Amino acid sequence: MISAPRGTQDFFGDEAARLSWIEETFRRTALLAGYSEIRTPLFEEASLFERGVGEGTDIVTKEMYVFEDKGGRKLALRPEGTAPVVRAILEHDLLKTQKQVKLFYAGPMFRYERPQAGRYRQFHQVGVEYVGSPSPVVDMAVILLSVDFLRELGLSSFTVKVNNVGTFEDRANYLKDLQEFLRRRTAELDEEDQPKVDRNPFRVLDSKKPKTRDVVKAAPRVAAYLSKESVAHVARVMDYLKEAAPHLDVTPDPYLVRGLDYYTRTVYEVTSPELGAQDALLGGGRYDRLFETFGGPPAPAFGFAAGVERLLLALRTRAPERPPILLYFVPLDDEALKESAILTEHLRERGLPAQMDYDVASLKSGLRHANKSGFKFAFLIGPEELLKGQGILKRLSDGAQWPVSLNADAIAEQLKLRQEATP
Ligand code: HAM
């Protein structure tokens, strides 16, 4: 038998309902804040991520699904959403007509990572990008938007970790010194981290390996290399957050470096104690130079993306959101089956969620199913009812029943009446 590829999942039943609900909650939150939706292709030119996310990052060197299409183009399944959004803004010249562009997206991303709880090869992100303002107020607003979204989902225990990674210029000097330091001590690092010393020394900083962490403690800190403006920017973001959300748990984290090279100054992650090793619910930051990296005009920007599977894990105990299911039809012969199918359609047109199974059941098994599945009412139609033109509406909580004409308006009216009177 063929199974789903390693690191991918099928979503169905309650889990699929929760996933949709998370995405819908995100859409509502983003739309309310004035963002509009963008959908970009699931694959792009591989060079978009090589240049945008960074040639030395794990995402690009190890995790990207790269393939050649039949025309010989080198393409990649998108590992993240920011570089594609920036490409689309440039391609469609969106900054020409609007000074600030606010976009949100939701969809699958692909990274060839070692699968574990909360880490998959195909996963879903929801995210926003706010383009066109260098103000630290934007950093505050987007961070708070991401927190609002988590609260809308009913999550409350989480920490916002913030760091300042400086501008590209701040970082260039720092990386030289950091690399020199790490080169002297490469042998002491965890084996897994040793290749990063040459490729991307920054990433050694957020290693979770104890051996590496010991060395990193003594490494030079980026804070000492930041320009005055960079320091002031993130200090303002922290002040604004404190003022706007005094009870929010915001913690500076000097080891937070993120896995993408495009960030400048503010970076942040929201982590949840309910998750295991993969504890980041969402992450993001400022990226003031990415548009220029792609040959566009300077356009400062800030964004975040959340991992839907991580949210699902954090919400594990929560019941799925479903429309309330009210009425279940129990047809007792073929003619009643057809009549029930027409009535359910007419009721749905009136916004009443009525359901049925398209086969004839016995009264007993029909009622048992209705009870088990959480319906509030059953509607019984057999040969006798068809003859009289009246079915039987049965309230399942107490067994009370009423004859009702075989007509959607009459059923809707009775339902309303009897529902309100439910003991
Ligand atoms: P990221 O931190 O790479 O940032 O991913 C954002 C979130 O996606 C993570 O916090 C995590 O919840 C989820 N995620 C990442 N990898 C996986 C995986 N393999 N399995 C399950 N979930 C995962 C970005 O992607 C940036 N584009 C965010 C951003 C937007 N920065 C600025 N704008």
Side-chain angles (χ1 to χ4, degrees), residues 39-71:
R39 296 192 192 210
T40 63
L42 294 196
F43 56 84
E44 297 270 358
E45 295 279 344
S47 62
L48 179 79
F49 302 107
E50 289 162 2
R51 279 163 62 190
V53 174
E55 244 145 353
T57 59
D58 280 356
I59 293 181
V60 167
T61 54
K62 295 201 284 196
E63 297 168 4
M64 223 156 47
Y65 281 90
V66 182
F67 61 98
E68 202 172 280
D69 75 0
K70 291 188 169 41

PDB file of all heavy atoms in Angstrom, residues 39-71:
ATOM      1  N   ARG A  39      -2.379  35.519  -2.992  1.00  0.00           N
ATOM      2  CA  ARG A  39      -2.059  34.096  -3.206  1.00  0.00           C
ATOM      3  C   ARG A  39      -0.966  34.032  -4.251  1.00  0.00           C
ATOM      4  O   ARG A  39      -1.168  34.489  -5.374  1.00  0.00           O
ATOM      5  CB  ARG A  39      -3.281  33.342  -3.700  1.00  0.00           C
ATOM      6  CG  ARG A  39      -4.383  33.326  -2.685  1.00  0.00           C
ATOM      7  CD  ARG A  39      -5.453  32.333  -3.067  1.00  0.00           C
ATOM      8  NE  ARG A  39      -6.627  32.539  -2.222  1.00  0.00           N
ATOM      9  CZ  ARG A  39      -7.454  31.577  -1.880  1.00  0.00           C
ATOM     10  NH1 ARG A  39      -7.251  30.353  -2.296  1.00  0.00           N
ATOM     11  NH2 ARG A  39      -8.489  31.841  -1.118  1.00  0.00           N
ATOM     12  N   THR A  40       0.153  33.485  -3.854  1.00  0.00           N
ATOM     13  CA  THR A  40       1.267  33.361  -4.795  1.00  0.00           C
ATOM     14  C   THR A  40       1.409  31.881  -5.145  1.00  0.00           C
ATOM     15  O   THR A  40       0.841  31.020  -4.472  1.00  0.00           O
ATOM     16  CB  THR A  40       2.572  33.896  -4.166  1.00  0.00           C
ATOM     17  OG1 THR A  40       2.897  33.094  -3.039  1.00  0.00           O
ATOM     18  CG2 THR A  40       2.439  35.356  -3.742  1.00  0.00           C
ATOM     19  N   PRO A  41       2.182  31.573  -6.215  1.00  0.00           N
ATOM     20  CA  PRO A  41       2.321  30.159  -6.618  1.00  0.00           C
ATOM     21  C   PRO A  41       2.992  29.318  -5.538  1.00  0.00           C
ATOM     22  O   PRO A  41       3.731  29.844  -4.707  1.00  0.00           O
ATOM     23  CB  PRO A  41       3.232  30.225  -7.846  1.00  0.00           C
ATOM     24  CG  PRO A  41       3.199  31.645  -8.305  1.00  0.00           C
ATOM     25  CD  PRO A  41       2.898  32.480  -7.117  1.00  0.00           C
ATOM     26  N   LEU A  42       2.712  28.006  -5.589  1.00  0.00           N
ATOM     27  CA  LEU A  42       3.354  27.102  -4.628  1.00  0.00           C
ATOM     28  C   LEU A  42       4.813  26.872  -5.004  1.00  0.00           C
ATOM     29  O   LEU A  42       5.592  26.423  -4.185  1.00  0.00           O
ATOM     30  CB  LEU A  42       2.624  25.755  -4.588  1.00  0.00           C
ATOM     31  CG  LEU A  42       1.201  25.756  -4.046  1.00  0.00           C
ATOM     32  CD1 LEU A  42       0.775  24.340  -3.696  1.00  0.00           C
ATOM     33  CD2 LEU A  42       1.058  26.644  -2.831  1.00  0.00           C
ATOM     34  N   PHE A  43       5.194  27.152  -6.259  1.00  0.00           N
ATOM     35  CA  PHE A  43       6.618  27.060  -6.614  1.00  0.00           C
ATOM     36  C   PHE A  43       7.070  28.344  -7.286  1.00  0.00           C
ATOM     37  O   PHE A  43       6.270  29.081  -7.857  1.00  0.00           O
ATOM     38  CB  PHE A  43       6.911  25.818  -7.465  1.00  0.00           C
ATOM     39  CG  PHE A  43       6.117  25.700  -8.732  1.00  0.00           C
ATOM     40  CD1 PHE A  43       6.522  26.352  -9.886  1.00  0.00           C
ATOM     41  CD2 PHE A  43       4.962  24.920  -8.774  1.00  0.00           C
ATOM     42  CE1 PHE A  43       5.788  26.236 -11.062  1.00  0.00           C
ATOM     43  CE2 PHE A  43       4.226  24.793  -9.942  1.00  0.00           C
ATOM     44  CZ  PHE A  43       4.638  25.459 -11.095  1.00  0.00           C
ATOM     45  N   GLU A  44       8.366  28.602  -7.153  1.00  0.00           N
ATOM     46  CA  GLU A  44       8.980  29.828  -7.679  1.00  0.00           C
ATOM     47  C   GLU A  44      10.325  29.447  -8.279  1.00  0.00           C
ATOM     48  O   GLU A  44      10.827  28.346  -8.069  1.00  0.00           O
ATOM     49  CB  GLU A  44       9.237  30.821  -6.524  1.00  0.00           C
ATOM     50  CG  GLU A  44       7.992  31.318  -5.792  1.00  0.00           C
ATOM     51  CD  GLU A  44       7.388  32.579  -6.392  1.00  0.00           C
ATOM     52  OE1 GLU A  44       7.951  33.118  -7.378  1.00  0.00           O
ATOM     53  OE2 GLU A  44       6.342  33.013  -5.886  1.00  0.00           O
ATOM     54  N   GLU A  45      10.956  30.392  -8.969  1.00  0.00           N
ATOM     55  CA  GLU A  45      12.357  30.223  -9.360  1.00  0.00           C
ATOM     56  C   GLU A  45      13.158  29.975  -8.090  1.00  0.00           C
ATOM     57  O   GLU A  45      13.025  30.747  -7.129  1.00  0.00           O
ATOM     58  CB  GLU A  45      12.894  31.513  -9.988  1.00  0.00           C
ATOM     59  CG  GLU A  45      12.255  31.933 -11.292  1.00  0.00           C
ATOM     60  CD  GLU A  45      12.811  31.176 -12.499  1.00  0.00           C
ATOM     61  OE1 GLU A  45      13.886  30.557 -12.368  1.00  0.00           O
ATOM     62  OE2 GLU A  45      12.152  31.201 -13.552  1.00  0.00           O
ATOM     63  N   ALA A  46      14.001  28.953  -8.081  1.00  0.00           N
ATOM     64  CA  ALA A  46      14.767  28.655  -6.859  1.00  0.00           C
ATOM     65  C   ALA A  46      15.626  29.844  -6.437  1.00  0.00           C
ATOM     66  O   ALA A  46      15.839  30.096  -5.246  1.00  0.00           O
ATOM     67  CB  ALA A  46      15.641  27.420  -7.072  1.00  0.00           C
ATOM     68  N   SER A  47      16.079  30.625  -7.409  1.00  0.00           N
ATOM     69  CA  SER A  47      16.979  31.749  -7.093  1.00  0.00           C
ATOM     70  C   SER A  47      16.291  32.803  -6.228  1.00  0.00           C
ATOM     71  O   SER A  47      16.955  33.556  -5.524  1.00  0.00           O
ATOM     72  CB  SER A  47      17.520  32.377  -8.376  1.00  0.00           C
ATOM     73  OG  SER A  47      16.449  32.893  -9.130  1.00  0.00           O
ATOM     74  N   LEU A  48      14.948  32.861  -6.273  1.00  0.00           N
ATOM     75  CA  LEU A  48      14.233  33.830  -5.425  1.00  0.00           C
ATOM     76  C   LEU A  48      14.569  33.600  -3.954  1.00  0.00           C
ATOM     77  O   LEU A  48      14.824  34.535  -3.202  1.00  0.00           O
ATOM     78  CB  LEU A  48      12.718  33.689  -5.638  1.00  0.00           C
ATOM     79  CG  LEU A  48      11.856  34.626  -4.792  1.00  0.00           C
ATOM     80  CD1 LEU A  48      11.836  36.022  -5.416  1.00  0.00           C
ATOM     81  CD2 LEU A  48      10.431  34.114  -4.642  1.00  0.00           C
ATOM     82  N   PHE A  49      14.578  32.333  -3.556  1.00  0.00           N
ATOM     83  CA  PHE A  49      14.860  32.024  -2.143  1.00  0.00           C
ATOM     84  C   PHE A  49      16.357  32.056  -1.871  1.00  0.00           C
ATOM     85  O   PHE A  49      16.780  32.427  -0.783  1.00  0.00           O
ATOM     86  CB  PHE A  49      14.246  30.678  -1.772  1.00  0.00           C
ATOM     87  CG  PHE A  49      12.761  30.632  -2.007  1.00  0.00           C
ATOM     88  CD1 PHE A  49      12.219  29.911  -3.060  1.00  0.00           C
ATOM     89  CD2 PHE A  49      11.899  31.368  -1.195  1.00  0.00           C
ATOM     90  CE1 PHE A  49      10.852  29.901  -3.293  1.00  0.00           C
ATOM     91  CE2 PHE A  49      10.535  31.366  -1.419  1.00  0.00           C
ATOM     92  CZ  PHE A  49      10.005  30.631  -2.483  1.00  0.00           C
ATOM     93  N   GLU A  50      17.157  31.648  -2.877  1.00  0.00           N
ATOM     94  CA  GLU A  50      18.616  31.703  -2.681  1.00  0.00           C
ATOM     95  C   GLU A  50      19.030  33.130  -2.363  1.00  0.00           C
ATOM     96  O   GLU A  50      19.789  33.390  -1.428  1.00  0.00           O
ATOM     97  CB  GLU A  50      19.342  31.180  -3.928  1.00  0.00           C
ATOM     98  CG  GLU A  50      19.190  29.661  -4.083  1.00  0.00           C
ATOM     99  CD  GLU A  50      19.504  29.158  -5.498  1.00  0.00           C
ATOM    100  OE1 GLU A  50      19.875  29.979  -6.375  1.00  0.00           O
ATOM    101  OE2 GLU A  50      19.348  27.952  -5.724  1.00  0.00           O
ATOM    102  N   ARG A  51      18.504  34.077  -3.136  1.00  0.00           N
ATOM    103  CA  ARG A  51      18.876  35.474  -2.903  1.00  0.00           C
ATOM    104  C   ARG A  51      18.153  36.071  -1.703  1.00  0.00           C
ATOM    105  O   ARG A  51      18.721  36.841  -0.938  1.00  0.00           O
ATOM    106  CB  ARG A  51      18.562  36.310  -4.142  1.00  0.00           C
ATOM    107  CG  ARG A  51      19.638  36.183  -5.206  1.00  0.00           C
ATOM    108  CD  ARG A  51      19.160  36.644  -6.550  1.00  0.00           C
ATOM    109  NE  ARG A  51      18.790  38.060  -6.567  1.00  0.00           N
ATOM    110  CZ  ARG A  51      18.159  38.655  -7.572  1.00  0.00           C
ATOM    111  NH1 ARG A  51      17.820  37.958  -8.632  1.00  0.00           N
ATOM    112  NH2 ARG A  51      17.867  39.928  -7.526  1.00  0.00           N
ATOM    113  N   GLY A  52      16.877  35.742  -1.553  1.00  0.00           N
ATOM    114  CA  GLY A  52      16.068  36.387  -0.512  1.00  0.00           C
ATOM    115  C   GLY A  52      16.328  35.817   0.871  1.00  0.00           C
ATOM    116  O   GLY A  52      16.712  36.527   1.793  1.00  0.00           O
ATOM    117  N   VAL A  53      16.117  34.510   1.014  1.00  0.00           N
ATOM    118  CA  VAL A  53      16.265  33.877   2.332  1.00  0.00           C
ATOM    119  C   VAL A  53      17.743  33.765   2.699  1.00  0.00           C
ATOM    120  O   VAL A  53      18.107  33.860   3.876  1.00  0.00           O
ATOM    121  CB  VAL A  53      15.580  32.488   2.330  1.00  0.00           C
ATOM    122  CG1 VAL A  53      15.837  31.742   3.621  1.00  0.00           C
ATOM    123  CG2 VAL A  53      14.080  32.639   2.081  1.00  0.00           C
ATOM    124  N   GLY A  54      18.606  33.578   1.683  1.00  0.00           N
ATOM    125  CA  GLY A  54      20.049  33.580   1.940  1.00  0.00           C
ATOM    126  C   GLY A  54      20.705  32.268   1.575  1.00  0.00           C
ATOM    127  O   GLY A  54      20.235  31.193   1.982  1.00  0.00           O
ATOM    128  N   GLU A  55      21.810  32.378   0.817  1.00  0.00           N
ATOM    129  CA  GLU A  55      22.476  31.177   0.307  1.00  0.00           C
ATOM    130  C   GLU A  55      23.082  30.299   1.397  1.00  0.00           C
ATOM    131  O   GLU A  55      23.272  29.115   1.209  1.00  0.00           O
ATOM    132  CB  GLU A  55      23.558  31.582  -0.705  1.00  0.00           C
ATOM    133  CG  GLU A  55      23.229  31.060  -2.062  1.00  0.00           C
ATOM    134  CD  GLU A  55      23.642  31.985  -3.195  1.00  0.00           C
ATOM    135  OE1 GLU A  55      24.087  33.125  -2.922  1.00  0.00           O
ATOM    136  OE2 GLU A  55      23.524  31.548  -4.332  1.00  0.00           O
ATOM    137  N   GLY A  56      23.403  30.921   2.551  1.00  0.00           N
ATOM    138  CA  GLY A  56      24.041  30.133   3.609  1.00  0.00           C
ATOM    139  C   GLY A  56      23.055  29.538   4.603  1.00  0.00           C
ATOM    140  O   GLY A  56      23.448  28.841   5.535  1.00  0.00           O
ATOM    141  N   THR A  57      21.760  29.801   4.433  1.00  0.00           N
ATOM    142  CA  THR A  57      20.795  29.339   5.449  1.00  0.00           C
ATOM    143  C   THR A  57      20.494  27.858   5.280  1.00  0.00           C
ATOM    144  O   THR A  57      20.624  27.313   4.179  1.00  0.00           O
ATOM    145  CB  THR A  57      19.466  30.112   5.325  1.00  0.00           C
ATOM    146  OG1 THR A  57      18.945  29.887   4.010  1.00  0.00           O
ATOM    147  CG2 THR A  57      19.667  31.603   5.544  1.00  0.00           C
ATOM    148  N   ASP A  58      20.070  27.229   6.371  1.00  0.00           N
ATOM    149  CA  ASP A  58      19.664  25.820   6.299  1.00  0.00           C
ATOM    150  C   ASP A  58      18.517  25.654   5.317  1.00  0.00           C
ATOM    151  O   ASP A  58      18.453  24.668   4.574  1.00  0.00           O
ATOM    152  CB  ASP A  58      19.180  25.336   7.680  1.00  0.00           C
ATOM    153  CG  ASP A  58      20.357  25.004   8.594  1.00  0.00           C
ATOM    154  OD1 ASP A  58      21.511  25.072   8.114  1.00  0.00           O
ATOM    155  OD2 ASP A  58      20.118  24.689   9.774  1.00  0.00           O
ATOM    156  N   ILE A  59      17.593  26.613   5.348  1.00  0.00           N
ATOM    157  CA  ILE A  59      16.410  26.494   4.474  1.00  0.00           C
ATOM    158  C   ILE A  59      16.853  26.315   3.023  1.00  0.00           C
ATOM    159  O   ILE A  59      16.355  25.437   2.320  1.00  0.00           O
ATOM    160  CB  ILE A  59      15.506  27.745   4.622  1.00  0.00           C
ATOM    161  CG1 ILE A  59      14.887  27.782   6.023  1.00  0.00           C
ATOM    162  CG2 ILE A  59      14.416  27.765   3.551  1.00  0.00           C
ATOM    163  CD1 ILE A  59      13.954  28.945   6.282  1.00  0.00           C
ATOM    164  N   VAL A  60      17.811  27.126   2.583  1.00  0.00           N
ATOM    165  CA  VAL A  60      18.226  27.063   1.182  1.00  0.00           C
ATOM    166  C   VAL A  60      19.200  25.910   0.918  1.00  0.00           C
ATOM    167  O   VAL A  60      19.062  25.172  -0.056  1.00  0.00           O
ATOM    168  CB  VAL A  60      18.823  28.419   0.736  1.00  0.00           C
ATOM    169  CG1 VAL A  60      19.556  28.293  -0.597  1.00  0.00           C
ATOM    170  CG2 VAL A  60      17.708  29.453   0.643  1.00  0.00           C
ATOM    171  N   THR A  61      20.172  25.709   1.811  1.00  0.00           N
ATOM    172  CA  THR A  61      21.190  24.694   1.502  1.00  0.00           C
ATOM    173  C   THR A  61      20.683  23.274   1.725  1.00  0.00           C
ATOM    174  O   THR A  61      21.105  22.353   1.046  1.00  0.00           O
ATOM    175  CB  THR A  61      22.464  24.873   2.346  1.00  0.00           C
ATOM    176  OG1 THR A  61      22.094  24.895   3.719  1.00  0.00           O
ATOM    177  CG2 THR A  61      23.190  26.162   2.016  1.00  0.00           C
ATOM    178  N   LYS A  62      19.806  23.089   2.700  1.00  0.00           N
ATOM    179  CA  LYS A  62      19.454  21.717   3.055  1.00  0.00           C
ATOM    180  C   LYS A  62      17.978  21.366   2.885  1.00  0.00           C
ATOM    181  O   LYS A  62      17.616  20.210   2.767  1.00  0.00           O
ATOM    182  CB  LYS A  62      19.828  21.459   4.535  1.00  0.00           C
ATOM    183  CG  LYS A  62      21.324  21.524   4.777  1.00  0.00           C
ATOM    184  CD  LYS A  62      21.716  20.788   6.033  1.00  0.00           C
ATOM    185  CE  LYS A  62      21.369  21.592   7.259  1.00  0.00           C
ATOM    186  NZ  LYS A  62      22.015  21.146   8.485  1.00  0.00           N
ATOM    187  N   GLU A  63      17.116  22.378   2.961  1.00  0.00           N
ATOM    188  CA  GLU A  63      15.711  22.042   3.145  1.00  0.00           C
ATOM    189  C   GLU A  63      14.817  22.315   1.950  1.00  0.00           C
ATOM    190  O   GLU A  63      13.633  22.026   1.985  1.00  0.00           O
ATOM    191  CB  GLU A  63      15.172  22.814   4.369  1.00  0.00           C
ATOM    192  CG  GLU A  63      15.868  22.405   5.648  1.00  0.00           C
ATOM    193  CD  GLU A  63      15.579  23.338   6.813  1.00  0.00           C
ATOM    194  OE1 GLU A  63      14.778  24.273   6.656  1.00  0.00           O
ATOM    195  OE2 GLU A  63      16.186  23.127   7.877  1.00  0.00           O
ATOM    196  N   MET A  64      15.373  22.900   0.901  1.00  0.00           N
ATOM    197  CA  MET A  64      14.491  23.298  -0.184  1.00  0.00           C
ATOM    198  C   MET A  64      14.211  22.133  -1.131  1.00  0.00           C
ATOM    199  O   MET A  64      15.117  21.375  -1.466  1.00  0.00           O
ATOM    200  CB  MET A  64      15.098  24.468  -0.945  1.00  0.00           C
ATOM    201  CG  MET A  64      14.046  25.483  -1.248  1.00  0.00           C
ATOM    202  SD  MET A  64      14.647  27.141  -1.514  1.00  0.00           S
ATOM    203  CE  MET A  64      15.997  27.009  -2.600  1.00  0.00           C
ATOM    204  N   TYR A  65      12.954  21.982  -1.543  1.00  0.00           N
ATOM    205  CA  TYR A  65      12.604  21.016  -2.584  1.00  0.00           C
ATOM    206  C   TYR A  65      12.862  21.688  -3.932  1.00  0.00           C
ATOM    207  O   TYR A  65      12.050  22.477  -4.396  1.00  0.00           O
ATOM    208  CB  TYR A  65      11.129  20.643  -2.481  1.00  0.00           C
ATOM    209  CG  TYR A  65      10.833  19.643  -1.389  1.00  0.00           C
ATOM    210  CD1 TYR A  65      10.517  20.064  -0.104  1.00  0.00           C
ATOM    211  CD2 TYR A  65      10.856  18.277  -1.657  1.00  0.00           C
ATOM    212  CE1 TYR A  65      10.243  19.146   0.892  1.00  0.00           C
ATOM    213  CE2 TYR A  65      10.571  17.350  -0.670  1.00  0.00           C
ATOM    214  CZ  TYR A  65      10.266  17.798   0.610  1.00  0.00           C
ATOM    215  OH  TYR A  65       9.992  16.891   1.593  1.00  0.00           O
ATOM    216  N   VAL A  66      14.028  21.394  -4.506  1.00  0.00           N
ATOM    217  CA  VAL A  66      14.396  22.023  -5.776  1.00  0.00           C
ATOM    218  C   VAL A  66      14.240  20.993  -6.886  1.00  0.00           C
ATOM    219  O   VAL A  66      14.576  19.833  -6.702  1.00  0.00           O
ATOM    220  CB  VAL A  66      15.862  22.509  -5.721  1.00  0.00           C
ATOM    221  CG1 VAL A  66      16.241  23.196  -7.017  1.00  0.00           C
ATOM    222  CG2 VAL A  66      16.053  23.448  -4.549  1.00  0.00           C
ATOM    223  N   PHE A  67      13.699  21.423  -8.011  1.00  0.00           N
ATOM    224  CA  PHE A  67      13.570  20.495  -9.142  1.00  0.00           C
ATOM    225  C   PHE A  67      13.656  21.263 -10.449  1.00  0.00           C
ATOM    226  O   PHE A  67      13.484  22.482 -10.483  1.00  0.00           O
ATOM    227  CB  PHE A  67      12.243  19.724  -9.058  1.00  0.00           C
ATOM    228  CG  PHE A  67      11.012  20.610  -9.110  1.00  0.00           C
ATOM    229  CD1 PHE A  67      10.326  20.785 -10.302  1.00  0.00           C
ATOM    230  CD2 PHE A  67      10.557  21.260  -7.971  1.00  0.00           C
ATOM    231  CE1 PHE A  67       9.197  21.596 -10.357  1.00  0.00           C
ATOM    232  CE2 PHE A  67       9.437  22.078  -8.018  1.00  0.00           C
ATOM    233  CZ  PHE A  67       8.749  22.247  -9.206  1.00  0.00           C
ATOM    234  N   GLU A  68      13.962  20.504 -11.496  1.00  0.00           N
ATOM    235  CA  GLU A  68      14.021  21.113 -12.820  1.00  0.00           C
ATOM    236  C   GLU A  68      12.738  20.757 -13.544  1.00  0.00           C
ATOM    237  O   GLU A  68      12.329  19.595 -13.532  1.00  0.00           O
ATOM    238  CB  GLU A  68      15.235  20.540 -13.559  1.00  0.00           C
ATOM    239  CG  GLU A  68      15.717  21.433 -14.674  1.00  0.00           C
ATOM    240  CD  GLU A  68      17.025  20.918 -15.244  1.00  0.00           C
ATOM    241  OE1 GLU A  68      18.079  21.167 -14.616  1.00  0.00           O
ATOM    242  OE2 GLU A  68      16.958  20.245 -16.284  1.00  0.00           O
ATOM    243  N   ASP A  69      12.083  21.735 -14.155  1.00  0.00           N
ATOM    244  CA  ASP A  69      10.870  21.369 -14.889  1.00  0.00           C
ATOM    245  C   ASP A  69      11.248  20.939 -16.311  1.00  0.00           C
ATOM    246  O   ASP A  69      12.425  20.928 -16.664  1.00  0.00           O
ATOM    247  CB  ASP A  69       9.821  22.493 -14.837  1.00  0.00           C
ATOM    248  CG  ASP A  69      10.164  23.681 -15.742  1.00  0.00           C
ATOM    249  OD1 ASP A  69      11.217  23.633 -16.420  1.00  0.00           O
ATOM    250  OD2 ASP A  69       9.380  24.649 -15.763  1.00  0.00           O
ATOM    251  N   LYS A  70      10.235  20.586 -17.114  1.00  0.00           N
ATOM    252  CA  LYS A  70      10.545  20.030 -18.430  1.00  0.00           C
ATOM    253  C   LYS A  70      11.185  21.057 -19.354  1.00  0.00           C
ATOM    254  O   LYS A  70      11.769  20.719 -20.373  1.00  0.00           O
ATOM    255  CB  LYS A  70       9.273  19.423 -19.046  1.00  0.00           C
ATOM    256  CG  LYS A  70       8.827  18.181 -18.310  1.00  0.00           C
ATOM    257  CD  LYS A  70       7.702  17.474 -19.036  1.00  0.00           C
ATOM    258  CE  LYS A  70       7.416  16.096 -18.486  1.00  0.00           C
ATOM    259  NZ  LYS A  70       7.443  15.965 -17.020  1.00  0.00           N
ATOM    260  N   GLY A  71      11.094  22.328 -18.980  1.00  0.00           N
ATOM    261  CA  GLY A  71      11.738  23.371 -19.777  1.00  0.00           C
ATOM    262  C   GLY A  71      13.128  23.719 -19.265  1.00  0.00           C
ATOM    263  O   GLY A  71      13.705  24.723 -19.684  1.00  0.00           O
TER     264      GLY A  71
END
